[in-house]
Each structure stands twice: as structure tokens, then as C-alpha cells.
Amino acid sequence: MSLPTTVSGRTLVTISGARVEIPDPDDLIHLQFRRFAGCPVCNLHLRSIVNRRDEIAAAGIREVVVFHSGAEELRKYTAELPLDVIADPDRELYREFGVETSPRALLDPRGWPAILRGVAHDAYATLRRRQVAPPAKPDGGSLGLPADFLIAPDGRALAAKHGTHVYDQWSVDELLALVPAGREA
């Protein structure tokens, strides 16, 4: 999939009703595509983002996370997440950005350690009644692949990654390394 040179301006609405301008006139946007509401592997990755959100914000990056679940379903799992969460149940953004589904999402052995860690963490948290159990049959299926885009304030797509398995996305360190010189706080 080729990287578009620019991302057209748009306003997205988060599951809490806030408006998100893409591109953002002041910050870089890390537009990340995750799988479904309650996805244990997505939760594992998003915890790494939340744990370092101050560092990410200091680098001038705003996190925008897209799921292919509806807003009502997402609120069960992400209401307390301090990130901009976007519902895209019709997968319009997924199609526009070339984000795909594939059986390799779950079949690639490189994703298996993250699947085990995510499921174990979520099972423990569910048993402790700290979170709702992940859905047995997620809306939109469980074969989605992750993707990441870094978008400049002028709309230029600075970098992109289309994942090849369930846990193939930028780490926080990889994201921070993509920040153009002079943008760091």
C-alpha cells in the first residue's frame, strides 16, 4: 500500500462527542487503527501508549485511535482511556487508509506472545471485575490488522505502517523517533 502524500482535512467525532481536526493545526497526529472494542491485544498496546502519554504529548503528538466498532460498544471498554477514540463501524476510514483484515492477523506466530499477554491480562482484570470481558464475537470480526500514520499539521503524511499481524505496530520509541527534528518540546 502506497503512502498518500497528504491527508485531506476532516473533523472526526470521538465516542465522547469531542471534535478532532485532522490534520491538527498545532500538533502531529498519530492516527492509529486498532481492531475491535475490547480487543486484548489492542488493550495491551494502548496501555503502552497511555503509560507514556506525557512523553508523547511533549513531542507534539496527539493520539487518535480508530476502532471498527460502534461508539456504544467502544464506551464499554475505552470510556476511561485518556485518548481520542473514534468509532468507524462502517470502516470508511479503514478503506480510505488501506487498512485491511486477514487471517494472518492471528495466524502469524510473531503475534502470539502479545495475544497470550493480552488475553491473560484481560482475563485477570475481568475476574477482578476491573473491566468488562472481551466480546466472544466482536463486531466486524477479529481478523483486523493494525496500522499507524503520522500526519503533520500541514496534512503531509510523514510516515505509515500497515501491520502484517495482530501486534505489528509502532512502539512508543519508534513513534517518537519519527518526530521531525525541531518539533520536540
Side-chain angles (χ1 to χ4, degrees):
M1 165 79 21
S2 64
L3 174 66
T5 56
T6 59
V7 175
S8 61
R10 74 215 42 234
T11 301
L12 302 177
V13 179
T14 70
I15 62 170
S16 64
R19 298 169 65 82
V20 177
E21 298 297 323
I22 297 181
D24 185 295
D26 301 315
D27 291 319
L28 298 168
I29 293 283
H30 175 208
L31 183 64
Q32 49 177 303
F33 290 83
R34 299 295 132 221
R35 294 159 25 88
F36 56 88
C39 168
V41 177
C42 301
N43 292 344
L44 181 68
H45 176 66
L46 291 176
R47 282 194 299 277
S48 73
I49 298 288
V50 169
N51 288 339
R52 295 180 64 188
R53 72 178 182 259
D54 291 341
E55 191 177 348
I56 293 167
I61 301 171
R62 182 174 183 177
E63 291 289 343
V64 179
V65 186
V66 181
F67 285 89
H68 63 70
S69 299
E72 185 176 330
E73 185 73 4
L74 276 168
R75 282 187 206 98
K76 294 179 194 175
Y77 300 97
T78 63
E80 301 302 316
L81 200 60
L83 305 170
D84 291 318
V85 177
I86 308 295
D88 186 20
D90 297 326
R91 294 183 188 244
E92 292 173 17
L93 289 169
Y94 285 78
R95 281 190 296 282
E96 181 181 341
F97 284 84
V99 182
E100 301 175 0
T101 62
S102 171
R104 73 179 182 265
L106 299 176
L107 297 177
D108 190 315
R110 294 173 293 177
W112 295 351
I115 293 170
L116 292 173
R117 284 192 322 271
V119 168
H121 179 277
D122 283 8
Y124 181 78
T126 300
L127 289 171
R128 295 279 189 190
R129 298 176 193 242
R130 293 183 183 148
Q131 72 179 42
V132 177
K137 288 186 169 186
D139 290 342
S142 60
L143 300 179
L145 292 167
D148 295 275
F149 298 86
L150 188 62
I151 303 166
D154 64 5
R156 286 179 298 124
L158 301 176
K161 177 174 183 138
H162 285 84
T164 59
H165 60 80
V166 68
Y167 203 62
D168 186 19
Q169 69 266 318
W170 291 331
S171 68
V172 173
D173 289 334
E174 290 170 321
L175 172 65
L176 293 173
L178 293 169
V179 174
R183 287 240 11 132
E184 303 91 10

PDB file of all heavy atoms in Angstrom, residues 35-50:
ATOM      1  N   ARG A  35      -8.240  -2.788  16.272  1.00  0.00           N
ATOM      2  CA  ARG A  35      -9.159  -3.821  15.820  1.00  0.00           C
ATOM      3  C   ARG A  35     -10.563  -3.558  16.369  1.00  0.00           C
ATOM      4  O   ARG A  35     -11.239  -2.671  15.907  1.00  0.00           O
ATOM      5  CB  ARG A  35      -8.585  -5.173  16.204  1.00  0.00           C
ATOM      6  CG  ARG A  35      -7.279  -5.431  15.428  1.00  0.00           C
ATOM      7  CD  ARG A  35      -6.338  -6.445  16.005  1.00  0.00           C
ATOM      8  NE  ARG A  35      -6.862  -7.473  16.848  1.00  0.00           N
ATOM      9  CZ  ARG A  35      -7.323  -8.644  16.440  1.00  0.00           C
ATOM     10  NH1 ARG A  35      -7.324  -8.932  15.170  1.00  0.00           N
ATOM     11  NH2 ARG A  35      -7.746  -9.526  17.306  1.00  0.00           N
ATOM     12  N   PHE A  36     -11.011  -4.251  17.331  1.00  0.00           N
ATOM     13  CA  PHE A  36     -12.386  -4.141  17.815  1.00  0.00           C
ATOM     14  C   PHE A  36     -12.415  -3.721  19.279  1.00  0.00           C
ATOM     15  O   PHE A  36     -11.425  -3.859  19.992  1.00  0.00           O
ATOM     16  CB  PHE A  36     -13.116  -5.481  17.637  1.00  0.00           C
ATOM     17  CG  PHE A  36     -12.423  -6.640  18.299  1.00  0.00           C
ATOM     18  CD1 PHE A  36     -12.674  -6.971  19.623  1.00  0.00           C
ATOM     19  CD2 PHE A  36     -11.514  -7.418  17.599  1.00  0.00           C
ATOM     20  CE1 PHE A  36     -12.031  -8.031  20.239  1.00  0.00           C
ATOM     21  CE2 PHE A  36     -10.869  -8.486  18.200  1.00  0.00           C
ATOM     22  CZ  PHE A  36     -11.123  -8.786  19.523  1.00  0.00           C
ATOM     23  N   ALA A  37     -13.551  -3.230  19.722  1.00  0.00           N
ATOM     24  CA  ALA A  37     -13.739  -2.835  21.116  1.00  0.00           C
ATOM     25  C   ALA A  37     -13.501  -4.037  22.021  1.00  0.00           C
ATOM     26  O   ALA A  37     -14.060  -5.104  21.802  1.00  0.00           O
ATOM     27  CB  ALA A  37     -15.155  -2.301  21.332  1.00  0.00           C
ATOM     28  N   GLY A  38     -12.645  -3.869  23.013  1.00  0.00           N
ATOM     29  CA  GLY A  38     -12.347  -4.937  23.949  1.00  0.00           C
ATOM     30  C   GLY A  38     -11.250  -5.878  23.497  1.00  0.00           C
ATOM     31  O   GLY A  38     -10.964  -6.857  24.177  1.00  0.00           O
ATOM     32  N   CYS A  39     -10.607  -5.609  22.380  1.00  0.00           N
ATOM     33  CA  CYS A  39      -9.535  -6.459  21.861  1.00  0.00           C
ATOM     34  C   CYS A  39      -8.388  -6.517  22.879  1.00  0.00           C
ATOM     35  O   CYS A  39      -7.785  -5.485  23.182  1.00  0.00           O
ATOM     36  CB  CYS A  39      -9.026  -5.915  20.529  1.00  0.00           C
ATOM     37  SG  CYS A  39      -7.489  -6.659  19.943  1.00  0.00           S
ATOM     38  N   PRO A  40      -8.070  -7.702  23.418  1.00  0.00           N
ATOM     39  CA  PRO A  40      -6.997  -7.793  24.413  1.00  0.00           C
ATOM     40  C   PRO A  40      -5.637  -7.331  23.891  1.00  0.00           C
ATOM     41  O   PRO A  40      -4.863  -6.727  24.624  1.00  0.00           O
ATOM     42  CB  PRO A  40      -6.970  -9.280  24.780  1.00  0.00           C
ATOM     43  CG  PRO A  40      -8.343  -9.770  24.464  1.00  0.00           C
ATOM     44  CD  PRO A  40      -8.769  -8.978  23.256  1.00  0.00           C
ATOM     45  N   VAL A  41      -5.345  -7.599  22.626  1.00  0.00           N
ATOM     46  CA  VAL A  41      -4.060  -7.187  22.061  1.00  0.00           C
ATOM     47  C   VAL A  41      -4.020  -5.668  21.892  1.00  0.00           C
ATOM     48  O   VAL A  41      -3.000  -5.037  22.173  1.00  0.00           O
ATOM     49  CB  VAL A  41      -3.790  -7.921  20.732  1.00  0.00           C
ATOM     50  CG1 VAL A  41      -2.499  -7.449  20.096  1.00  0.00           C
ATOM     51  CG2 VAL A  41      -3.757  -9.427  20.956  1.00  0.00           C
ATOM     52  N   CYS A  42      -5.118  -5.086  21.455  1.00  0.00           N
ATOM     53  CA  CYS A  42      -5.192  -3.624  21.327  1.00  0.00           C
ATOM     54  C   CYS A  42      -5.046  -2.978  22.702  1.00  0.00           C
ATOM     55  O   CYS A  42      -4.351  -1.964  22.845  1.00  0.00           O
ATOM     56  CB  CYS A  42      -6.517  -3.206  20.695  1.00  0.00           C
ATOM     57  SG  CYS A  42      -6.789  -3.897  19.060  1.00  0.00           S
ATOM     58  N   ASN A  43      -5.690  -3.559  23.701  1.00  0.00           N
ATOM     59  CA  ASN A  43      -5.597  -3.022  25.061  1.00  0.00           C
ATOM     60  C   ASN A  43      -4.151  -3.038  25.542  1.00  0.00           C
ATOM     61  O   ASN A  43      -3.688  -2.084  26.182  1.00  0.00           O
ATOM     62  CB  ASN A  43      -6.475  -3.822  26.019  1.00  0.00           C
ATOM     63  CG  ASN A  43      -7.948  -3.653  25.759  1.00  0.00           C
ATOM     64  OD1 ASN A  43      -8.364  -2.733  25.065  1.00  0.00           O
ATOM     65  ND2 ASN A  43      -8.743  -4.558  26.280  1.00  0.00           N
ATOM     66  N   LEU A  44      -3.429  -4.104  25.253  1.00  0.00           N
ATOM     67  CA  LEU A  44      -2.025  -4.216  25.626  1.00  0.00           C
ATOM     68  C   LEU A  44      -1.222  -3.064  25.005  1.00  0.00           C
ATOM     69  O   LEU A  44      -0.464  -2.375  25.689  1.00  0.00           O
ATOM     70  CB  LEU A  44      -1.489  -5.572  25.148  1.00  0.00           C
ATOM     71  CG  LEU A  44      -0.052  -5.922  25.453  1.00  0.00           C
ATOM     72  CD1 LEU A  44       0.141  -6.127  26.948  1.00  0.00           C
ATOM     73  CD2 LEU A  44       0.336  -7.199  24.696  1.00  0.00           C
ATOM     74  N   HIS A  45      -1.420  -2.841  23.726  1.00  0.00           N
ATOM     75  CA  HIS A  45      -0.704  -1.761  23.040  1.00  0.00           C
ATOM     76  C   HIS A  45      -1.115  -0.386  23.586  1.00  0.00           C
ATOM     77  O   HIS A  45      -0.252   0.466  23.832  1.00  0.00           O
ATOM     78  CB  HIS A  45      -0.961  -1.836  21.532  1.00  0.00           C
ATOM     79  CG  HIS A  45      -0.347  -0.700  20.787  1.00  0.00           C
ATOM     80  ND1 HIS A  45       1.016  -0.514  20.700  1.00  0.00           N
ATOM     81  CD2 HIS A  45      -0.907   0.335  20.121  1.00  0.00           C
ATOM     82  CE1 HIS A  45       1.264   0.575  19.999  1.00  0.00           C
ATOM     83  NE2 HIS A  45       0.119   1.107  19.627  1.00  0.00           N
ATOM     84  N   LEU A  46      -2.398  -0.174  23.766  1.00  0.00           N
ATOM     85  CA  LEU A  46      -2.853   1.142  24.230  1.00  0.00           C
ATOM     86  C   LEU A  46      -2.371   1.441  25.645  1.00  0.00           C
ATOM     87  O   LEU A  46      -2.127   2.604  25.978  1.00  0.00           O
ATOM     88  CB  LEU A  46      -4.367   1.254  24.115  1.00  0.00           C
ATOM     89  CG  LEU A  46      -4.874   1.295  22.671  1.00  0.00           C
ATOM     90  CD1 LEU A  46      -6.398   1.306  22.638  1.00  0.00           C
ATOM     91  CD2 LEU A  46      -4.303   2.478  21.907  1.00  0.00           C
ATOM     92  N   ARG A  47      -2.187   0.423  26.475  1.00  0.00           N
ATOM     93  CA  ARG A  47      -1.602   0.656  27.807  1.00  0.00           C
ATOM     94  C   ARG A  47      -0.186   1.228  27.661  1.00  0.00           C
ATOM     95  O   ARG A  47       0.214   2.108  28.431  1.00  0.00           O
ATOM     96  CB  ARG A  47      -1.597  -0.621  28.637  1.00  0.00           C
ATOM     97  CG  ARG A  47      -2.940  -0.957  29.239  1.00  0.00           C
ATOM     98  CD  ARG A  47      -2.862  -2.027  30.323  1.00  0.00           C
ATOM     99  NE  ARG A  47      -2.343  -3.297  29.862  1.00  0.00           N
ATOM    100  CZ  ARG A  47      -3.058  -4.252  29.254  1.00  0.00           C
ATOM    101  NH1 ARG A  47      -4.341  -4.064  29.039  1.00  0.00           N
ATOM    102  NH2 ARG A  47      -2.501  -5.378  28.885  1.00  0.00           N
ATOM    103  N   SER A  48       0.575   0.748  26.669  1.00  0.00           N
ATOM    104  CA  SER A  48       1.930   1.276  26.471  1.00  0.00           C
ATOM    105  C   SER A  48       1.873   2.744  26.040  1.00  0.00           C
ATOM    106  O   SER A  48       2.731   3.539  26.427  1.00  0.00           O
ATOM    107  CB  SER A  48       2.703   0.432  25.456  1.00  0.00           C
ATOM    108  OG  SER A  48       2.236   0.635  24.134  1.00  0.00           O
ATOM    109  N   ILE A  49       0.879   3.100  25.261  1.00  0.00           N
ATOM    110  CA  ILE A  49       0.696   4.495  24.825  1.00  0.00           C
ATOM    111  C   ILE A  49       0.309   5.368  26.030  1.00  0.00           C
ATOM    112  O   ILE A  49       0.885   6.435  26.254  1.00  0.00           O
ATOM    113  CB  ILE A  49      -0.380   4.589  23.721  1.00  0.00           C
ATOM    114  CG1 ILE A  49       0.025   3.809  22.472  1.00  0.00           C
ATOM    115  CG2 ILE A  49      -0.730   6.040  23.403  1.00  0.00           C
ATOM    116  CD1 ILE A  49       1.133   4.406  21.656  1.00  0.00           C
ATOM    117  N   VAL A  50      -0.651   4.911  26.810  1.00  0.00           N
ATOM    118  CA  VAL A  50      -1.126   5.680  27.963  1.00  0.00           C
ATOM    119  C   VAL A  50      -0.008   5.853  28.993  1.00  0.00           C
ATOM    120  O   VAL A  50       0.153   6.937  29.563  1.00  0.00           O
ATOM    121  CB  VAL A  50      -2.375   5.017  28.585  1.00  0.00           C
ATOM    122  CG1 VAL A  50      -2.723   5.646  29.924  1.00  0.00           C
ATOM    123  CG2 VAL A  50      -3.552   5.106  27.626  1.00  0.00           C
TER     124      VAL A  50
END
